[in-house]
């Protein structure tokens, strides 16, 4: 049965036409189960009925004609109950309904199984026999259930392909076809999709040996040189769109192409006898596996960059001519994996939006998209990419959605949002140098989260008052070894000088387990609960001390450094870390540096720390909540996992109650508390955090002007009243609706994306949950 199942799934994976896929399902299942009938019914949203779409054994003329409401027939009962129904004599069942056009009156035995994808019943698959005495056994029922589960995604994908092509399940013209993913960069764009494919396929490279090693090395070096020139040209082409500092992202590509990095390892493989493409494939796949194992989503995205470089190198090795797409006036770039290099190929002024099947908000593309102000949606795993080329698309970077074949009504709605955004940006530019305070004078600083100098430049232009979180993993990630003390000092000094005299909070190295560096591999069965964060650095004081010394030396003459410890779960970790920090400070002073002892704080990210906040806060100078990780740990949800991402909710009552407790306990012991995470950059979330008593909010630079305007438009009574109201609610969805309603009543609803009115978009394509 397993081999049969695999062969069926493999055959269907190559089918994009919905009807062909359904006919194949009916035929293959009938043969595999040795039954007289196999039929597939799909649910039609428009009519609210199950429509017979394919059959082997019933009259073919009934296909498309038979419609069964959920309240009638055994097919409807299977869909309503969402579980299999197995009957020896279906004709005796009270819900049985006879359809003479099918010729099914001669069949007695019945087994129906629902086809469910992401909690949505797509249809029902049925097998039937004339023998009234035959009851399909448990093995047969289990096989059909397995077939249904495996094929649900295939049917959903084929259905989506048909919908994008303009045909719905009922055969009518489909409009406003929606797909949901992950928001990469905020904003709305309307334009024409241009699908970009990788220049070469590494997986198709055969393993071969080379006859002339030196000639093969020279051929590979020529390819490296050509790709290096390509990357430099792309950086120059993007220069009019980006500040010079923002082009530093392309330095990561160039570092990867350094002789001692990826090319050096490929040449070693060639010297072992492999031809260049095979050696390249082996090294790239090794790099990709290392990066994809990492839990830090920013670092995990480096796998995309490695894969893109490998494809470009292979393209030059193959001497293939890449097709240059035609870019329309308003281009929406679409790809299975968007990369920074692809952006530079679009003529200046024509890129209005981006869509990527893979990736997250931490990828290089998302960083560039936010810097360039290009609305972006990522993580659209169910979307048939090839069908989007040349089609009119709407990209909703607020909700992480795209719409294909939009109706005039939907286009008009999103065009009004674009006009509203343009007016809003003009108003926010005036707020840069104004204080962030409520109407009744309550002042709260707004900080930024950074990792690259590009973030710093953008943060300063948006009026940030300091850095609430600097991720020190970046200088470790772009090296092939642990960076030296001097190298780290240079990175940190750049950040500290840019914001002096404002505070810069640097998080100590947060790696380990799911965030392993390529030169420091860590393999664990459950990395989220494993060796990571402060646990790693305390176990390796030689790494921790070098980093602390570099931070402290970088702050000389500025005295604006604050050191923050990640993933703290108990008091002993703080005490041990503080001992090492004091030791490093004394060593630096003994070397002649004149500086004050920096403040030391901790991140509250683990539920255990929530219940020890008083004891923890009493031992440090400040506390900062990492709301993203805390939410994931509290809810046991990986928000980047499409199967459970819908369960990740910053407005969950447990999350809000934990945040309230942390703020209250910190203030009870007289310590300041801030928060860095997505909730701080959410207009409604910022109001709730303000009411909870948080002393500062830290967020992405792009959200800062919006949050400042929101806070300047309310008073503390409104904020506290809203907090009291939502704390009495028990549903995150109801809480979000309550918050958004309050913002609209306060006259600041323009800072949240307006809801679609009327019937809205018809979500024929299932979304990434």
């Amino acid at each position: 049965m397993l081999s049969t199942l695999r062969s069926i799934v493999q055959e269907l994976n190559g089918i994009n036409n919905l009807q062909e896929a359904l006919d194949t399902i009916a035929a293959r299942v009938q043969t595999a189960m040795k039954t007289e009938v196999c039929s597939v019914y799909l649910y039609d949203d428009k009519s609210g009925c199950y429509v017979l779409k394919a059959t082997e054994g019933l009259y073919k003329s009934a296909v498309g004609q038979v419609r069964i409401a959920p309240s009638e027939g055994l097919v409807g009962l299977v869909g309503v109950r969402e579980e299999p129904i197995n009957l020896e004599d279906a004709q005796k069942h009270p819900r049985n309904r006879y359809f003479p056009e099918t010729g099914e009156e001669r069949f007695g035995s019945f087994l129906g199984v629902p086809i469910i994808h992401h909690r949505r019943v797509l249809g029902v698959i049925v097998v039937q026999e004339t023998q009234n005495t035959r009851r399909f056994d448990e093995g047969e029922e289990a096989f059909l259930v397995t077939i249904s589960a495996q094929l649900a995604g295939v049917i959903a994908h084929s259905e989506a392909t048909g919908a994008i092509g303009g045909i719905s399940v009922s055969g009518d013209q489909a409009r406003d076809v929606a797909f949901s993913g992950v928001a990469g960069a905020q904003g709305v764009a309307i334009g024409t999709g241009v699908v970009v494919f990788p220049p070469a396929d590494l997986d198709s490279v055969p393993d071969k040996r080379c006859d002339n090693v030196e000639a093969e090395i020279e051929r590979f070096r020529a390819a490296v040189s050509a790709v290096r020139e390509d990357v430099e040209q792309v950086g120059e082409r993007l220069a009019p769109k980006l500040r010079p500092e923002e082009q530093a992202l392309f330095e990561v590509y160039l570092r990867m192409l350094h002789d001692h990095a990826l090319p050096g390892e490929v040449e070693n493989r060639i010297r072992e006898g492999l031809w260049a493409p095979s050696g390249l494939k082996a090294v790239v796949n090794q790099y990709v596996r290392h990066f994809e194992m990492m839990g830090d989503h920013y670092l995990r995205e480096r796998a995309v960059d490695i894969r893109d470089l490998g494809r470009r190198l292979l393209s030059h090795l193959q001497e293939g001519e890449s097709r240059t797409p035609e870019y329309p006036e308003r281009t929406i770039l679409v790809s299975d994996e968007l990369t920074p290099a692809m952006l530079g190929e679009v003529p200046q002024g024509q890129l209005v939006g981006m869509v990527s099947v893979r990736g997250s908000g931490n990828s290089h593309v998302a960083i560039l998209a936010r810097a360039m102000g290009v609305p972006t949606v990522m993580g659209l795993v169910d979307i048939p990419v090839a069908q989007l080329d040349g089609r009119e698309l709407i990209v909703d970077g607020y909700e992480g959605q795209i719409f294909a074949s939009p109706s005039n009504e939907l286009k008009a709605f999103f065009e009004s949002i674009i006009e509203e955004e343009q007016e809003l940006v003009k108003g926010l530019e005036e707020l840069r140098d104004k204080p962030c305070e409520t109407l009744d004078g309550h002042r709260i600083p707004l900080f930024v989260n950074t990792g690259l100098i590009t973030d710093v430049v953008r943060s300063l232009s948006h009026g940030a008052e300091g850095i609430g979180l600097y991720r020190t993993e970046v200088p470790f990630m772009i090296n092939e070894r642990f960076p030296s003390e001097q190298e780290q000092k240079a990175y940190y000094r750049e950040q500290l000088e840019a914001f002096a005299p404002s505070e810069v909070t640097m998080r100590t190295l947060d790696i380990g387990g799911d965030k392993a560096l390529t030169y420091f591999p860590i393999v664990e069965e459950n990395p989220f609960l494993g060796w990571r964060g402060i646990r790693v650095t305390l176990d390796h004081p030689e790494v921790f001390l070098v980093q602390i010394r570099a931070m402290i030396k970088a702050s000389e003459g500025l005295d604006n450094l604050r050191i923050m410890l990640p993933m703290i779960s108990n008091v002993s970790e703080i005490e041990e870390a503080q001992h090492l920090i004091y030791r490093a400070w004394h060593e630096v002073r003994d070397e002649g540096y004149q500086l004050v002892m920096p403040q030391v704080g901790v991140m509250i990210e683990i539920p255990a720390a929530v219940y020890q906040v008083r004891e923890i806060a009493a031992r440090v100078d400040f506390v900062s909540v990492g709301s993203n990780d805390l939410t994931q740990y509290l809810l046991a949800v990986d928000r980047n996992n499409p199967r459970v991402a819908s369960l990740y909710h910053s407005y969950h009552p447990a999350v809000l109650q934990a945040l309230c407790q942390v703020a209250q306990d910190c203030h009870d012991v007289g310590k300041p508390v801030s928060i860095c995470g997505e909730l701080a950059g959410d207009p409604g979330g910022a109001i709730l955090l303000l009411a909870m008593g948080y002393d500062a909010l830290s967020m992405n630079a792009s959200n800062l002007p919006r949050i400042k305007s929101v806070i300047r438009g309310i008073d503390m009574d409104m904020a506290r009243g809203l907090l009291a109201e939502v704390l009495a609610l028990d549903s995150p969805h109801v809480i979000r609706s309550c918050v958004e309603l309050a913002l609209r009543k306060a006259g600041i609803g323009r800072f949240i994306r307006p809801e679609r009115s009327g019937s809205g978009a018809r979500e024929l394509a299932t979304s990434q949950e």
Side-chain angles (χ1 to χ4, degrees):
M1 279 294 190
L2 182 58
S3 61
T4 302
L5 173 64
R6 286 174 177 168
S7 65
I8 293 175
V9 173
Q10 287 172 358
E11 183 176 2
L12 289 170
N13 281 336
I15 300 175
N16 288 326
N17 179 274
L18 176 59
Q19 189 58 55
E20 184 182 351
L22 298 178
D23 290 338
T24 301
I25 291 171
R28 298 297 178 267
V29 170
Q30 183 207 39
T31 301
M33 294 188 65
K34 297 181 174 60
T35 65
E36 295 178 72
V37 176
C38 178
S39 305
V40 181
Y41 299 79
L42 288 191
Y43 185 76
D44 175 31
D45 291 299
K46 185 176 181 180
S47 65
C49 294
Y50 290 96
V51 182
L52 178 64
K53 298 298 295 182
T55 186
E56 287 292 331
L58 301 183
Y59 296 151
K60 295 286 188 180
S61 59
V63 173
Q65 303 302 313
V66 173
R67 295 172 180 268
I68 305 174
S71 60
E72 62 182 9
L74 292 173
V75 170
L77 185 61
V78 172
V80 169
R81 291 176 56 173
E82 299 184 1
E83 64 179 348
I85 293 180
N86 191 351
L87 302 171
E88 289 184 14
D89 190 352
Q91 297 180 15
K92 293 182 179 180
H93 195 282
R95 277 289 295 266
N96 183 60
R97 180 181 172 187
Y98 166 55
F99 292 90
E101 58 266 46
T102 65
E104 65 178 344
E105 70 276 5
R106 63 187 186 276
F107 300 110
S109 299
F110 174 96
L111 171 60
V113 173
I115 303 171
I116 301 175
H117 184 71
H118 290 173
R119 298 191 179 186
R120 175 186 169 216
V121 178
L122 297 179
V124 176
I125 184 169
V126 175
V127 291
Q128 294 172 281
E129 282 279 359
T130 55
Q131 301 176 32
N132 291 350
T133 57
R134 175 181 176 180
R135 181 184 179 89
F136 293 99
D137 61 35
E138 291 183 356
E140 292 171 315
E141 182 176 325
F143 174 78
L144 196 60
V145 169
T146 306
I147 283 283
S148 170
Q150 292 287 335
L151 298 181
V154 176
I155 294 176
H157 190 276
S158 297
E159 182 186 37
T161 303
I164 287 179
I167 304 299
S168 69
V169 173
S170 61
D172 298 327
Q173 185 72 16
R175 308 292 291 182
D176 302 340
V177 184
F179 295 87
S180 294
V182 176
Q186 289 189 343
V188 170
I190 301 176
T192 304
V194 175
V195 177
V196 181
F197 293 95
D201 184 9
L202 275 169
D203 294 332
S204 66
V205 172
D207 292 328
K208 291 170 57 177
R209 311 294 291 181
C210 67
D211 298 323
N212 190 328
V213 171
E214 293 305 318
E216 199 70 4
I217 288 177
E218 286 302 314
R219 187 165 78 96
F220 177 71
R221 287 177 178 175
V224 171
S225 178
V227 172
R228 188 181 292 121
E229 289 180 9
D230 288 346
V231 172
E232 291 171 347
Q233 290 174 5
V234 167
E236 292 173 2
R237 195 175 303 172
L238 284 177
K241 304 178 186 179
L242 301 173
R243 294 181 178 86
E245 295 87 346
E246 287 169 335
Q247 295 184 63
L249 288 171
F250 293 95
E251 290 297 320
V252 175
Y253 266 34
L254 295 176
R255 285 192 180 93
M256 291 177 184
L257 291 170
H258 190 275
D259 291 342
H260 298 296
L262 185 146
E265 295 191 39
V266 174
E267 290 186 19
N268 289 337
R269 298 297 182 103
I270 296 173
R271 290 189 174 92
E272 293 172 0
L274 292 177
W275 73 314
S278 185
L280 176 65
K281 180 178 74 171
V283 172
V284 167
N285 287 341
Q286 181 182 0
Y287 270 66
V288 167
R289 283 193 297 270
H290 280 308
F291 278 102
E292 286 182 339
M293 287 170 55
M294 300 179 184
D296 184 284
H297 305 297
Y298 175 87
L299 300 181
R300 189 187 296 170
E301 292 299 336
R302 302 294 68 74
V304 177
D305 301 329
I306 290 287
R307 193 180 287 110
D308 181 60
L309 277 182
R311 287 166 177 162
R312 290 177 180 274
L313 287 167
L314 180 60
S315 180
H316 281 277
L317 285 172
Q318 295 173 335
E319 297 180 351
E321 295 183 1
S322 58
R323 179 182 65 89
T324 302
E326 293 184 6
Y327 297 101
E329 187 74 18
R330 298 183 61 81
T331 293
I332 293 179
L333 206 58
V334 183
S335 181
D336 184 64
E337 283 186 335
L338 281 175
T339 64
M342 292 177 181
L343 276 63
E345 296 170 0
V346 183
Q348 184 178 354
Q350 294 181 216
L351 181 63
V352 298
M354 294 189 289
V355 177
S356 182
V357 173
R358 303 183 188 181
S360 72
N362 296 301
S363 67
H364 272 176
V365 170
I367 293 171
L368 283 174
R370 289 193 288 269
M372 299 165 64
V374 179
T376 302
V377 176
M378 313 190 80
L380 289 149
V381 294
D382 285 331
I383 194 169
V385 174
Q387 300 296 317
L388 298 181
D389 194 57
R391 297 201 176 273
E392 187 173 28
L393 303 174
I394 295 176
V395 175
D396 180 356
Y398 293 108
E399 298 294 327
Q401 287 187 315
I402 71 165
F403 298 87
S405 305
S407 62
N408 291 333
E409 293 78 11
L410 193 66
K411 282 176 60 179
F413 173 76
F414 279 102
E415 284 169 352
S416 67
I417 294 179
I418 293 174
E419 294 174 4
E420 186 177 333
E421 286 177 336
Q422 293 170 346
E423 292 298 321
L424 183 61
V425 169
K426 294 178 183 177
L428 294 178
E429 290 174 351
E430 303 173 359
L431 295 178
R432 172 181 170 175
D433 299 320
K434 293 183 179 180
C436 181
E437 61 183 18
T438 61
L439 294 172
D440 51 352
H442 183 88
R443 180 87 164 84
I444 183 168
L446 298 185
F447 297 154
V448 291
N449 305 328
T450 73
L452 297 167
I453 191 62
T454 57
D455 297 321
V456 172
V457 174
R458 193 164 59 253
S459 302
L460 291 170
S461 67
H462 283 70
E465 300 174 64
I467 295 179
L469 169 63
Y470 171 62
R471 305 178 182 93
T472 61
E473 295 79 48
V474 176
F476 286 78
M477 180 269 295
I478 62 177
N479 275 275
E480 294 85 46
R481 52 167 172 73
F482 284 112
S484 68
E485 183 177 310
Q486 192 62 32
E487 289 171 331
Q488 292 186 57
K489 176 186 172 184
Y491 285 117
Y492 305 152
R493 183 73 180 185
E494 190 175 40
Q495 300 278 333
L496 292 164
E497 282 184 331
F499 274 90
S502 300
E503 295 176 347
V504 173
T505 303
M506 294 190 169
R507 182 177 67 188
T508 59
L509 186 60
D510 190 9
I511 62 163
D514 59 342
K515 293 191 289 185
L517 302 172
T518 54
Y519 51 85
F520 190 62
I522 302 170
V523 179
E524 295 180 307
E525 291 186 6
N526 195 340
F528 283 99
L529 304 180
W531 197 48
R532 57 179 305 192
I534 195 67
R535 300 168 184 175
V536 174
T537 50
L538 288 182
D539 284 351
H540 282 274
E542 76 281 11
V543 175
F544 187 73
L545 285 168
V546 168
Q547 182 177 42
I548 297 300
R549 286 167 54 88
M551 287 181 180
I552 295 174
K553 287 181 178 180
S555 70
E556 185 181 31
L558 302 174
D559 297 329
N560 60 338
L561 168 67
R562 301 203 310 172
I563 298 174
M564 185 160 63
L565 308 173
M567 299 299 293
I568 292 295
S569 60
N570 59 68
V571 169
S572 63
E573 291 170 335
I574 300 172
E575 294 174 341
E576 189 175 351
Q578 285 176 325
H579 170 75
L580 293 173
I581 293 171
Y582 280 113
R583 171 181 157 186
W585 181 66
H586 284 294
E587 290 174 354
V588 170
R589 284 175 59 87
D590 289 344
E591 293 179 23
Y593 286 84
Q594 299 298 316
L595 36 76
V596 299
M597 175 67 191
Q599 290 189 341
V600 177
V602 299
M603 292 191 76
I604 302 297
E605 305 168 89
I606 298 175
V610 173
Y611 299 98
Q612 288 186 293
V613 169
R614 289 173 180 267
E615 294 78 9
I616 289 173
R619 287 169 169 79
V620 295
D621 299 304
F622 66 92
V623 170
S624 181
V625 178
S627 63
N628 295 348
D629 273 334
L630 180 59
T631 300
Q632 292 192 92
Y633 280 117
L634 281 171
L635 304 182
V637 169
D638 177 2
R639 61 197 174 100
N640 288 285
N641 182 336
R643 295 186 182 275
V644 297
S646 63
L647 301 176
Y648 178 96
H649 213 303
S650 298
Y651 283 151
H652 193 287
V655 175
L656 297 181
Q657 290 167 18
L659 294 174
C660 284
Q661 180 177 334
V662 171
Q664 181 62 52
D665 288 351
C666 284
H667 289 156
D668 285 348
V669 296
K671 295 298 170 64
V673 58
S674 62
I675 186 166
C676 51
E678 291 183 357
L679 189 60
D682 176 84
I687 293 177
L688 296 179
L689 295 169
L690 179 71
M692 291 178 191
Y694 279 84
D695 300 297
L697 307 179
S698 188
M699 64 203 70
N700 292 329
S702 57
N703 292 328
L704 196 146
R706 192 180 302 262
I707 298 304
K708 181 183 286 189
S709 188
V710 166
I711 292 176
R712 287 176 59 87
I714 64 168
D715 57 36
M716 288 301 294
D717 286 341
M718 180 272 188
R720 292 182 179 121
L722 178 60
L723 177 62
E725 185 177 355
V726 301
L727 288 179
L729 302 175
D730 58 8
S731 166
H733 305 288
V734 174
I735 291 174
R736 176 172 285 281
S737 297
C738 178
V739 169
E740 292 183 353
L741 179 61
L743 263 64
R744 297 186 192 281
K745 286 182 177 179
I748 50 179
R750 63 189 182 280
F751 295 110
I752 55 176
R753 196 195 71 92
E755 293 292 332
R756 293 191 296 274
S757 59
S759 59
R762 189 189 312 163
E763 295 189 2
L764 294 179
T766 56
S767 65
Q768 177 185 4
E769 295 291 337

